[in-house]
Amino acid sequence: MNDALTGGCQCGRVRYRIVREGAEAYLCHCRMCQRATGGFAAALVGVGEGGLTWETEPDWYASSPIARRPFCGRCGTPLGFSYSDGSGQDVTLGSLDEPEAFAPVAHFGAESLHPAWVDLAHLPRHRTGEVGSVAQRWKDAGLEIPE
């Protein structure tokens, strides 16, 4: 993988670049991250000091008295996390163009971890194109199923 990785929101309005060196992925299970992403955890990549450059400035909201979160005001994509003092720059794993560049190294906010949602290897796996109703909707829209 490259030393620099790119990412952005679903609609493409907000774009960023991160330096891979020193960056680490983790799952944050704290209730703030669960609520901010709507998931059982936030998959985040902590970026080293000065390792994040916004090519297009995101919108921001204060998610708590100590933190704020970047997002796209047009499509709603959650893009990361930062302490209010500007330290602790993280981006959401799913907003990276190459999320496969990272594997999680830790669980954070373990007090709110949902054990049933951590080991999922036993669940059946279905590709999007294998679900007839979804595949048909993409076909009816005249589009290919996105990766």
Side-chain angles (χ1 to χ4, degrees):
M1 296 287 149
N2 297 331
D3 287 344
L5 297 170
T6 57
C9 65
Q10 186 172 8
C11 74
R13 182 181 72 87
V14 179
R15 299 290 300 160
Y16 63 82
R17 179 176 302 279
I18 65 168
V19 175
R20 183 176 180 183
E21 184 178 342
E24 290 188 328
Y26 66 98
L27 291 170
C28 184
H29 300 272
C30 80
R31 289 297 292 144
M32 298 299 292
C33 281
Q34 289 173 357
R35 288 184 177 115
T37 64
F40 74 95
L44 298 167
V45 176
V47 181
E49 186 69 30
L52 170 62
T53 303
W54 294 103
E55 294 175 0
T56 311
E57 186 66 24
D59 298 293
W60 291 86
Y61 72 96
S63 59
S64 75
I66 65 166
R68 61 191 197 130
R69 295 175 190 266
F71 70 101
C72 175
R74 184 187 303 161
C75 67
T77 301
L79 295 167
F81 169 89
S82 177
Y83 288 109
S84 298
D85 65 8
S87 65
Q89 295 284 321
D90 295 359
V91 296
T92 51
L93 178 75
S95 68
L96 282 163
D97 295 333
E98 299 178 54
E100 67 277 7
F102 294 96
V105 298
H107 292 278
F108 184 79
E111 67 279 359
S112 302
L113 185 146
H114 300 290
W117 286 84
V118 176
D119 181 7
L120 306 176
H122 65 282
L123 295 178
R125 297 176 184 202
H126 307 281
R127 297 182 61 80
T128 305
E130 295 171 350
V131 179
S133 61
V134 175
Q136 188 62 49
R137 284 179 172 87
W138 283 104
K139 184 178 177 182
D140 291 348
L143 299 168
E144 295 290 322
I145 298 171
E147 292 182 26

